[in-house]
Structure formats: structure tokens, C-alpha cells
Amino acid sequence: MSDNFTTAGSTQSGDQNEKMNKSVLMVCLGNICRSPIAESVLRNLVSKRPDSSEWLIDSCGTGNWHIGNLPDYRGQACVRKYGLTPTHRARVLCKDDFFKFKYIFGMDKNNIADITRGMPSGSKSIVELLGKYDPEGELIVEDPYFGNDSDFDRVFIQCKRCCENWLSNFKD
């Protein structure tokens, strides 16, 4: 487990956590750009479904630099531009996440490496790149942190494509 991960975690019991088939965790490096955008996109898509109350959707980072912070102001502006409301505060991936979330989506290969390195034995989480579900074949959701507003738009649009495609193929 990476030194950045924490053992703090959920308030639900293990039995309740294992019943969370409709649970998705989006993961990036700092949890202030890509993963909160992906979380907002998926929350919005799921909110339109009749089973929306059965879903647990969250995001986190593999690094601990931004714990408690709001998402990057450019990411917040981007999400608002598309009619969504960002409500997330950054947090770091913890061991309980591997028992609380069935699906854990990383944004790039480094995220996947960090996630799988920290995965405790007994976890049944499915860890994949979110970009695996991009119908345009963009496997990596590139980090917009050092970019400009258009890079955040690109992330939003790619996350929307991926989440729509994943959700359309989701089987309970």
C-alpha cells in the first residue's frame, strides 16, 4: 500500500459494503481535476435512472496533497458550464474503498498501478481504466492540471463518453 493511502474509511459494515453492486469510485492523482469531473458526470447520468437511489458514487486520489480541498477552480467552472454542481472535497484512496466500491476506475496507467498496489487481499473490486469505455478509443484521461480551460473541457467530454458507454452496458 502506498504511503499516501490511509486506513481510515467508511462507516458502513463489511456486509453492507459487499451488497453495493452499484458502486463506483473514480480515481486520479490528486482528486482535484479528473476524478471529481468523472464523479460529477456519472452522478448526473445516474440521477436520470429509476434506480438512482441505489447507487454510491465517489472519487478520490492516490496522493494526499489536496485532502479536504475543493476541486481545481477550472474543473469546477467546467462542470458548472455543463450544468452540473460540483460538491466534492478531495480525499485519498483508503483500504475500505476496496470493500465499499465494486468498480474502481483510474484515469491513467499510473493511477491503476497505485490502485492495484494498494489493493488488499479479499477485495472483489474491479479495477479498470475509465478510458477502456471510451467509444473513441482514448484509453487515457489526460491530466489537465498544467493545461488550460479547453483541457478541462476535453476531460469532461471524454468522461461523459466513457460513463455513458459504461452505464449503457452496465448489468446489475
Side-chain angles (χ1 to χ4, degrees):
M1 171 102 18
S2 167
D3 291 338
N4 290 334
F5 292 177
T6 179
T7 56
S10 79
T11 57
Q12 294 182 333
S13 73
D15 291 341
Q16 290 172 322
N17 293 340
E18 292 186 35
K19 294 178 185 173
M20 292 301 297
N21 191 41
K22 298 175 183 174
S23 55
V24 179
L25 182 65
M26 302 292 189
V27 182
C28 69
L29 182 61
N31 193 212
I32 60 167
C33 294
R34 297 171 290 174
S35 58
I37 289 173
E39 174 191 351
S40 292
V41 166
L42 186 60
R43 278 184 189 279
N44 181 59
L45 293 170
V46 165
S47 74
K48 299 170 186 171
R49 295 171 53 107
D51 64 349
S52 63
S53 66
E54 300 172 20
W55 286 79
L56 174 64
I57 301 165
D58 198 3
S59 67
C60 69
T62 58
N64 60 8
W65 313 281
H66 302 292
I67 293 174
N69 293 343
L70 290 170
D72 184 285
Y73 70 94
R74 297 164 296 172
Q76 291 183 60
C78 176
V79 168
R80 284 190 187 101
K81 180 170 106 175
Y82 290 99
L84 308 181
T85 304
T87 58
H88 185 77
R89 292 270 180 182
R91 70 177 189 85
V92 69
L93 181 66
C94 66
K95 287 183 181 181
D96 286 351
D97 289 331
F98 293 99
F99 299 99
K100 187 175 183 179
F101 294 95
K102 181 167 183 180
Y103 301 95
I104 300 177
F105 292 119
M107 302 297 132
D108 62 37
K109 291 178 182 177
N110 289 329
N111 301 150
I112 295 297
D114 289 341
I115 294 164
T116 55
R117 187 173 33 256
M119 191 172 192
S121 63
S123 170
K124 294 182 178 149
S125 295
I126 298 166
V127 178
E128 298 178 311
L129 285 167
L130 180 62
K132 173 183 175 181
Y133 297 94
D134 189 341
E136 293 188 11
E138 290 185 47
L139 191 60
I140 303 302
V141 179
E142 297 291 343
D143 194 343
Y145 185 77
F146 293 106
N148 57 37
D149 292 348
S150 66
D151 295 310
F152 283 84
D153 284 333
R154 180 186 36 77
V155 166
F156 184 95
I157 292 163
Q158 183 182 6
C159 287
K160 187 169 189 273
R161 287 192 313 258
C162 295
C163 290
E164 285 174 338
N165 189 35
W166 178 78
L167 201 54
S168 71
N169 292 299
F170 177 78
K171 294 190 180 24
D172 193 6

